[in-house]
Amino acid sequence: MLARSVSRCSNKLRAPVSRPVLRFARPQCRHFSMPATGATPGSPPMSSAGMFAPFVGELDRIAPSFKINGSQIRVLQSPAEFYETLKDKIRNAERRIFLSTLYIGKSEKELITTLQETLRAKPELTLSILTDALRGTREAPDPSCASLLAPLIAEFGPERVEIRMYHTPNLTGLRKKYVPKRINEGWGLQHMKLYGVDDEIILSGANLSSDYFTNRQDRYHLFSSRDVTEYFANLQDAVSSLSFLVKPSTSQAGFEMIWPEDNAAPSPLEDPKQFVKESTVLLSGLISPKTAPLTAHDTTPAEKRDTSVYMLSQFSQLLSPDTSTEHPAVTHVLKTLSLPQYANSSWTFTAGYFNPAPSLTQLLVSTQSHNNTVITASPFANGFYKSPGVSGLLPDAYTLLARRFLRTVHQHQREDSTVLREWRRGTVGEPGAWTYHAKGLWVTLPGSKEPSISLIGSSNYTKRSYSLDLEANALIVTENEDLKKRLGEEQLWLQEHTSIVTRDDFAKADRRVGFKVRMAMMAVKLLGGAL
């Protein structure tokens, strides 16, 4: 299934299907940020702009951003709404469809049919898909994500359809040979979830498979902004140029993966060090606010641009030195909340796989905020519940990690201000059951009833997210009252199926984690992987 190209003749970013070649010079465009004012002891309460200033001043130095109107962001609620919106956007596409995801379910024939019908009806339309190579070929030579997508290339040709699969440089040689397929993703994945059509994009944590369309709760924001969409399209193009190309094949697997000679770096399987070196050159310019190729297509009047959207990326495995922007941005937001003037703020944090990076745990419990909520999946709502093999140990592993988080909350004497809620809607494997996969952060500032800051995207905020996976997110900072209201509604409806869990609950016999789980966690860590 893996074919080696004859040579690699170019280190430049490839020209994507029917897209202009990406340039790294930053076009002239207006950059807006909120005024840097602050409160001094004995002064009146800070204005809205004063409350925002400590956040946006540093964020402007961390990541590229655009200013839009809050009405250009639509918050979707359910898996069904996400799926129907995605299909509707695909059917109405005119120029381009680009999709980045961990994988597309091998049985997603309806989604593939929707893509086929639209491509047949619109000869100028192009399609670019980026998935992960490990997850996308896991079942091969049996039916897989790769074999599902390869016929699109056969029917419409490589000029209109491009399928790329990213392979981590961290899993090579003997490690790649002997690590079981069910857990090899612990060494790094293409994890971005970017669903772009023409000049709109859905950012989410959801993959493209039936459970994410029916009974797996996630988050989904639709951005109707050409500038935001173009930025993430460029990001997908860049990672695609560092990925294997899928081609149809008459083999049993139905596909082959080749490393094109004009890719931007050598194959990670042949020369992982040089792969990272050249990836660094390519990606560092894209994610820096000083050099990112930002466009200026939005015609919204400046006075109506009440919302900043910071484009955050975590590409740690591809950058040396690591200049990723997500972890620094989240760190800055939480550090700012530790300032005394934010004592009346609050935050909600959620991750379906609860294993926040140790630094984030310390930052969360060190904020001055009150009425804080952490939402995570109950073991009975974890997608790995009763999964065969080693992966079946994961729900108990996340239970242990949640218990450790509550211990940290207790040690910092934050139990009165921070609660842990477990999300459960039935039991995995039983009729009508749902799983939980949402992730994100909401911050409500002093004097406000609704969140002004929210983080949406693919990251699970784990050590793995910050060292091994490729993540793409958007940090929203808004003064738009309607958008704040909708963000507030989002964090509330995600709590509808939750209940508070305490240290006493974790001490019960049925919540204790066995030695086998602890040993498995240690083994993954020793082998260089992460949950």
Side-chain angles (χ1 to χ4, degrees):
M1 290 174 288
L2 281 175
R4 183 177 299 177
S5 60
V6 177
S7 65
R8 187 173 59 86
C9 61
S10 174
N11 287 339
K12 296 181 180 179
L13 181 60
R14 65 185 173 85
V17 180
S18 296
R19 289 187 196 152
V21 177
L22 185 61
R23 296 184 297 272
F24 291 97
R26 184 174 182 172
Q28 293 296 318
C29 61
R30 296 185 66 185
H31 187 77
F32 302 89
S33 61
M34 298 171 188
T37 60
T40 56
S43 65
M46 281 198 295
S47 64
S48 175
M51 279 292 174
F52 280 118
F55 293 99
V56 300
E58 182 63 20
L59 288 172
D60 285 342
R61 288 185 282 272
I62 292 173
S65 66
F66 294 102
K67 287 279 284 185
I68 64 175
N69 184 269
S71 64
Q72 293 174 259
I73 302 174
R74 177 182 165 195
V75 180
L76 309 180
Q77 180 171 354
S78 68
E81 186 181 13
F82 163 58
Y83 188 36
E84 292 305 316
T85 301
L86 178 62
K87 288 189 296 181
D88 179 68
K89 297 299 179 184
I90 290 172
R91 292 188 187 106
N92 290 285
E94 295 295 337
R95 297 181 291 106
R96 64 177 178 183
I97 301 169
F98 65 95
L99 309 172
S100 289
T101 187
L102 176 59
Y103 67 98
I104 297 178
K106 60 185 178 182
S107 60
E108 292 310 312
K109 293 183 171 53
E110 182 183 37
L111 178 60
I112 299 302
T113 298
T114 302
L115 290 168
Q116 287 174 320
E117 291 175 347
T118 307
L119 286 165
R120 288 167 186 160
K122 300 173 182 179
E124 301 302 314
L125 182 66
T126 62
L127 170 66
S128 300
I129 298 178
L130 171 67
T131 76
D132 182 73
L134 296 175
R135 180 64 73 88
T137 62
R138 176 191 287 173
E139 301 89 349
D142 293 332
S144 65
C145 170
S147 64
L148 177 75
L149 297 174
L152 291 172
I153 308 166
E155 178 175 355
F156 301 104
E159 298 79 16
R160 295 185 63 198
V161 175
E162 180 182 77
I163 311 299
R164 292 279 184 155
M165 291 195 167
Y166 171 86
H167 193 292
T168 175
N170 296 328
L171 192 69
T172 60
L174 293 177
R175 184 186 289 170
K176 180 176 175 63
K177 182 177 180 180
Y178 291 109
V179 172
K181 286 186 176 182
R182 285 290 293 174
I183 64 170
N184 62 10
E185 63 186 66
W187 280 259
L189 293 170
Q190 190 309 104
H191 200 247
M192 300 186 296
K193 318 295 168 63
L194 307 172
Y195 306 127
V197 178
D198 292 338
D199 297 329
E200 294 183 301
I201 186 169
I202 298 174
L203 296 186
S204 179
N207 294 302
L208 300 180
S209 63
S210 58
D211 51 346
Y212 289 95
F213 302 152
T214 55
N215 59 1
R216 189 158 173 76
Q217 183 65 57
D218 215 300
R219 296 178 66 212
Y220 336 84
H221 287 191
L222 171 63
F223 293 78
S224 298
S225 165
R226 182 178 175 185
D227 293 323
V228 171
T229 303
E230 193 65 32
Y231 178 85
F232 285 116
N234 284 337
L235 204 64
Q236 175 171 321
D237 282 344
V239 176
S240 292
S241 76
L242 301 168
S243 303
F244 284 94
L245 180 70
V246 175
K247 297 181 67 176
S249 169
T250 58
S251 66
Q252 181 183 354
F255 70 93
E256 64 174 342
M257 294 198 306
I258 67 166
W259 193 260
E261 60 183 13
D262 61 347
N263 265 9
S267 167
L269 300 182
E270 295 182 0
D271 193 345
K273 289 185 178 179
Q274 188 65 21
F275 174 78
V276 171
K277 182 178 180 180
E278 298 192 28
S279 298
T280 300
V281 174
L282 175 67
L283 294 172
S284 58
L286 270 176
I287 65 177
S288 167
K290 296 180 180 179
T291 56
L294 302 183
T295 56
H297 298 300
D298 198 327
T299 59
T300 303
E303 65 272 14
K304 294 186 177 181
R305 299 187 185 192
D306 51 21
T307 301
S308 292
V309 181
Y310 292 90
M311 275 68 65
L312 305 182
S313 305
Q314 195 68 34
F315 293 155
S316 298
Q317 64 170 275
L318 293 179
L319 297 171
S320 181
D322 186 2
T323 55
S324 297
T325 56
E326 181 203 324
H327 188 261
V330 177
T331 297
H332 171 65
V333 169
L334 296 178
K335 278 188 174 180
T336 303
L337 291 177
S338 68
L339 300 175
Q341 60 263 43
Y342 296 101
N344 292 321
S345 65
S346 66
W347 51 257
T348 297
F349 174 84
T350 188
Y353 302 134
F354 189 72
N355 182 23
S359 61
L360 290 194
T361 295
Q362 292 300 317
L363 289 168
L364 287 169
V365 299
S366 299
T367 66
Q368 294 287 322
S369 310
H370 290 78
N371 299 318
N372 308 315
T373 302
V374 173
I375 310 170
T376 190
S378 158
F380 302 101
N382 187 301
F384 293 103
Y385 182 70
K386 290 191 175 179
S387 176
V390 178
S391 58
L393 302 176
L394 288 173
D396 282 346
Y398 289 117
T399 293
L400 177 61
L401 294 166
R403 179 178 181 174
R404 290 175 179 172
F405 174 78
L406 282 186
R407 183 176 63 194
T408 301
V409 171
H410 172 73
Q411 291 171 343
H412 283 74
Q413 299 180 341
R414 299 289 290 167
E415 289 168 306
D416 291 339
S417 63
T418 303
V419 298
L420 175 68
R421 289 181 170 272
E422 283 189 342
W423 192 98
R424 181 180 181 182
R425 190 172 176 181
T427 300
V428 173
E430 297 181 1
W434 285 45
T435 55
Y436 186 78
H437 195 250
K439 63 267 300 204
L441 175 69
W442 300 257
V443 175
T444 300
L445 297 178
S448 181
K449 296 181 179 179
E450 309 289 357
S452 300
I453 300 173
S454 187
L455 183 61
I456 177 75
S458 63
S459 181
N460 287 312
Y461 316 114
T462 62
K463 178 182 177 182
R464 184 172 124 186
S465 295
Y466 294 143
S467 59
L468 298 173
D469 292 346
L470 305 188
E471 309 284 9
N473 307 270
L475 181 65
I476 301 166
V477 181
T478 185
E479 294 183 281
N480 185 286
E481 292 300 327
D482 182 66
L483 178 55
K484 289 165 63 176
K485 180 175 180 290
R486 289 182 281 121
L487 292 172
E489 291 170 348
E490 180 187 36
Q491 69 172 350
L492 289 177
W493 77 55
L494 285 175
Q495 298 183 46
E496 288 180 358
H497 299 281
T498 67
S499 57
I500 294 176
V501 182
T502 67
R503 294 171 66 233
D504 290 339
D505 294 317
F506 283 124
K508 295 177 181 177
D510 62 341
R511 301 302 297 269
R512 291 176 184 168
V513 176
F515 180 73
K516 186 176 181 181
V517 172
R518 297 171 188 264
M519 288 299 296
M521 293 172 67
M522 290 177 60
V524 170
K525 184 176 181 180
L526 288 172
L527 289 171
L531 293 179

